[in-house]
Amino acid sequence: MTKLPPDTRTRGLHELYAEDPENADRLLWNREVDPVTRRGFLKRSSLLAMAAAVGGSIPFADKMPGGLIPAALAQSEEPFTLEGKEGLTVLNDRPINAETPAHLLDDDITPAKYMFVRNNGIPPEVESIDADTWELEIGGESCENPQTFTIADLKEKFEHHTYQLQVECGGNGRSEYVPSASGNQWTTGAVACPTFTGVRLRDVLEACGTKDDAVYIGYYGADRHASGDPGKDPISRGVPMSKALEDESLIAWAMNDEDIPYLNGYPLRVVCGGWPGSVSGKWLKRIVIRNQKHDGTKMGAPSYSVPKNPVAPGSVVPKEDFVTIESMPVKSLVTFPKSGIDHAMGETMTVRGHAWAGDLAVKEVHVSIDFGATWQKAELKEAPNRLAWQRWTTAVDFPETGYYEVWARATDEEGHSQPMVVPGWNPKGYLNNACHRIAVQVA
């Protein structure tokens, strides 16, 4: 095997691929690809080097894209524990951010223990939270009749609703962008789809009256800025009135028929499924009805914004050339089997996962075992309600022993499909909806 330069022995595999995928191919495997298709291995020694690293032959090696880190080597097994959570991987500890490995998201309804944690500030001290006295204020320049509600008031005065709602961080998948973008380096696990119970945001807004000039709502929570400065909000985002008035937009006090977990916003939060999770404010204390686009913390570019037009990787983009992210793109996840498993040759393997598409429904899911050269259609269930993810299932057979990657690709009802590789670069690393893939060793 080609001797690696000294710096590759001390720098991580992920760092090398993040800096320059094609150069990482050369450094690690001495690999060259077909100059036309950008796939395969022109040198047998390079193929043997990668095969040794993944633990076996690669039957569809001629179709493997260049600059692609093998899924078997992209896994992370870092243990991490949080109270009320199991198996999450920590990305940051102040504020706490932790994602869920894909194989732990196999439930149709995400259990609380597997709900990812994405915090922008420091949660209020748990000892300071009293659900019986917690108050929510509704106000703003376009509110006709400002009011304050306790959680008991909300439960008594408004009809209760329960929906299963998909919540995903706008930066989910950020770790795959090259050059790397600042922020938590999420892989695939900043997504969940539990049930939420509460009252419709619309009903509460209507009870307080909305003026004709109302165009947006914004929220404020009880979390504190990481700096400790009481004059700064860690985050205060919102949505247009059209999203706020949807049936599924909730002010919720329960998740999966229990109190919302502390790190996910106990005792009260807003939930607007299908949009970046940052619009679903936690530890909810105040909602304002605005006569303009909300201008709270992290509403301005480049926060939760992408360039209006494609830009070259590494570009500096003027703030006026950004647009705020709204509905999230179509995406899918392989939740079974776990990446890196061994599978017996001659046995059919069941593969399953979830797919979602922001405000839209998913129309189809396809799976590939030959690096996207061919695809087979999976069985897709309808969502239990709008803005919930959809379960997909299929079975695959492997033609010979060796190393395989199972790729999943979803298509939404408007015909948009996931790209096979990371989509157009953006400065903050948002909206990566590239195909998810897992490694399988067939022996």
Side-chain angles (χ1 to χ4, degrees), residues 21 31 37-38 50 54 87 110 133 228 246 267 319 338 365 392 427:
R31 181 185 179 192
T37 65
R38 312 304 299 170
M50 184 178 286
V54 300
T110 307
T133 60
E246 289 182 345
K319 288 186 177 181
K338 178 181 179 180
V365 174
W392 60 266

Side-chain angles (χ1 to χ4, degrees), residues 131 134 136 150-162 195-200 204 250-261 265-271 284:
W134 191 271
L136 170 64
T150 64
I151 295 176
D153 290 334
L154 294 173
K155 292 180 177 180
E156 179 183 347
K157 296 179 178 181
F158 302 100
E159 184 179 352
H160 300 185
H161 297 273
T162 298
T195 66
F196 291 96
T197 298
V199 298
R200 284 178 174 150
V204 177
L250 298 179
I251 297 173
W253 56 75
M255 191 176 97
N256 296 345
D257 299 321
E258 298 182 346
D259 288 341
I260 295 170
Y266 173 80
L268 198 67
R269 68 175 295 170
V270 63
V271 185
L284 184 65

Side-chain angles (χ1 to χ4, degrees), residues 42 60 65 194 271 277 327 376 383 408 421 435:
L42 294 185
F60 293 109
V271 185
S327 178
Q376 68 179 57
V421 295
C435 293

Side-chain angles (χ1 to χ4, degrees), residues 225-294:
H225 195 273
S227 67
D229 186 342
K232 293 182 178 180
D233 296 312
I235 188 170
S236 174
R237 303 201 69 234
V239 296
M241 292 301 296
S242 57
K243 182 67 176 178
L245 299 178
E246 289 182 345
D247 286 351
E248 300 84 7
S249 293
L250 298 179
I251 297 173
W253 56 75
M255 191 176 97
N256 296 345
D257 299 321
E258 298 182 346
D259 288 341
I260 295 170
Y262 165 61
L263 288 175
N264 300 121
Y266 173 80
L268 198 67
R269 68 175 295 170
V270 63
V271 185
C272 295
W275 285 36
S278 56
V279 304
S280 296
K282 300 183 287 292
W283 309 288
L284 184 65
K285 292 295 291 182
R286 185 175 177 227
I287 292 175
V288 287
I289 307 172
R290 306 299 309 274
N291 62 6
Q292 63 178 51
K293 181 178 179 179
H294 185 53

Side-chain angles (χ1 to χ4, degrees), residues 421-437:
V421 295
V422 180
W425 182 89
N426 65 86
K428 296 291 285 184
Y430 294 125
L431 306 185
N432 177 12
N433 66 331
C435 293
H436 184 219
R437 54 201 179 95

